[in-house]
Amino acid sequence: MLTTVEHALRVAPESVSARLVHTHVLLALKEHKQAEESARRAVELAPRFWASHYTLGIVLDRGGRRKRKRAAYESARTAVALAPEESDAYVLLGLTAHHTGNHRVARQAYETALRLNPDSSAAHNNLSLLHLHRHWLRPGSWTRAAEGFVQAAALDLDDRHARYNLEKMAWETLMGSRWVAFAGTVAVALGSAHLRAGAAGADALVTYLACAAVLVGGWGGWLLWQARRVPPHLRRPLLLVARGCRQVVGMALPIALLIVHAALALVLWRSALFSALAIPLVFFALVTSVAGRTALQQRAPNP
């Protein structure tokens, strides 16, 4: 493709469309310097054409330096000013505003893009990322993020970004349950040790009930929380995504083992050997979580 478009530029060096295709091909090949030169040439050829500034903004946004991010934001603003009816221009404005820390402008840009084009998977996905980053501050943001990712994935089946973000949400949800499992394991281990030390009568009953309360209360509270923030229409898509992600499935195994172990430890509390299994199970869960997170990050799609 690069050879073909370079031939086209030799035949028609003033062709803006060929110059823009040339830029995108170079960007796909990670030739960022050459891509920026080509994009700037497109702006010189067509300074009043929104796509020239849009393409330059995309190239600049891929750079790691904050100065380039700011320049990308200015290019996106110019593209929006030249073509206020183009949803893609607003998507780029939102993306560059997000990267420069202006979340209010980013949210407004994505919302405008969706008003212009409700089927924009990129706008749904990026707006959901904003919701997700603020879910601890605003109730309901996590749910809105999940809804946006599901909609983005449904609108563009070839877009890996929304699906990957759903996988990350499933992973983080599982990571939250890990702490509940750890708390139950520690409580049962301490309670079993107390019972084996000779606790009897009311003391033994209180210890047993306290361990059961930690298990039932912890998992009951966690399940209630998940049921409230994951509405019924999102549960099946999230479950399907989780089942298709090897990292999530792999992490579910040690957590399930911790749950089973804690439940059985209440019954088999007399066995010190069985209680000692808690330590390797916790270690297994920790190692799996680190390995799984690394593997999931390596699967992140290219920007």
Side-chain angles (χ1 to χ4, degrees):
M1 182 179 285
L2 181 61
T3 301
T4 301
V5 74
E6 286 179 344
H7 175 71
L9 285 173
R10 285 193 294 271
V11 174
E14 303 298 311
S15 171
V16 177
S17 59
R19 180 63 61 182
L20 294 178
V21 172
H22 183 239
T23 302
H24 285 288
V25 172
L26 289 170
L27 196 58
L29 295 173
K30 301 186 184 303
E31 300 289 347
H32 293 91
K33 184 177 180 180
Q34 294 91 325
E36 182 178 346
E37 292 174 355
S38 184
R40 291 192 182 279
R41 178 56 180 157
V43 172
E44 292 174 2
L45 292 171
R48 303 299 298 172
F49 185 33
W50 76 275
S52 301
H53 298 275
Y54 171 82
T55 302
L56 177 59
I58 291 176
V59 174
L60 293 173
D61 188 62
R62 300 289 176 88
R65 291 177 296 176
R66 184 171 181 82
K67 183 178 180 181
R68 291 171 63 86
K69 299 288 186 184
R70 183 68 189 180
Y73 174 67
E74 295 301 329
S75 293
R77 289 184 61 189
T78 303
V80 166
L82 292 172
E85 75 288 352
E86 291 288 345
S87 64
D88 286 346
Y90 283 98
V91 171
L92 180 62
L93 178 63
L95 183 64
T96 55
H98 189 175
H99 289 167
T100 55
N102 198 336
H103 293 171
R104 181 182 61 83
V105 171
R107 177 177 55 80
Q108 292 174 347
Y110 293 141
E111 290 172 350
T112 302
L114 288 173
R115 284 196 297 270
L116 293 170
N117 180 15
D119 293 335
S120 172
S121 62
H124 280 293
N125 179 75
N126 294 352
L127 181 58
S128 296
L129 283 173
L130 281 179
H131 288 317
L132 186 61
H133 292 163
R134 299 174 63 85
H135 75 277
W136 291 113
L137 302 176
R138 294 187 177 182
S141 293
W142 192 95
T143 303
R144 289 195 293 272
E147 290 174 339
F149 289 142
V150 168
Q151 192 164 1
L155 288 169
D156 187 354
L157 299 180
D158 295 325
D159 187 356
R160 283 282 301 122
H161 292 84
R163 182 178 179 85
Y164 175 75
N165 289 327
L166 284 171
E167 291 172 347
K168 283 185 63 177
M169 293 186 81
W171 171 266
E172 295 300 336
T173 299
L174 204 57
M175 288 298 95
S177 71
R178 176 188 57 170
W179 298 112
V180 181
F182 285 169
T185 299
V186 171
V188 171
L190 294 175
S192 298
H194 184 61
L195 291 173
R196 287 194 302 274
D203 188 20
L205 179 61
V206 169
T207 300
Y208 196 87
L209 291 177
C211 292
V214 171
L215 286 179
V216 175
W219 285 110
W222 186 83
L223 291 173
L224 179 61
W225 178 40
Q226 296 305 317
R228 292 184 62 182
R229 74 170 181 166
V230 183
H233 67 280
L234 290 179
R235 293 171 190 170
R236 177 175 173 78
L238 286 173
L239 180 60
L240 290 175
V241 168
R243 286 171 53 186
C245 180
R246 289 180 296 176
Q247 289 74 27
V248 174
V249 174
M251 189 64 219
L253 175 61
I255 292 177
L257 290 176
L258 286 171
I259 296 172
V260 172
H261 176 268
L264 291 178
L266 284 177
V267 180
L268 305 175
W269 58 267
R270 289 184 177 86
S271 173
L273 179 61
F274 184 80
S275 297
L277 287 175
I279 296 176
L281 285 177
V282 169
F283 182 75
F284 176 45
L286 290 173
V287 171
T288 304
S289 66
V290 173
R293 185 182 297 276
T294 301
L296 190 62
Q297 290 173 343
Q298 291 176 345
R299 292 181 55 247
N302 294 324

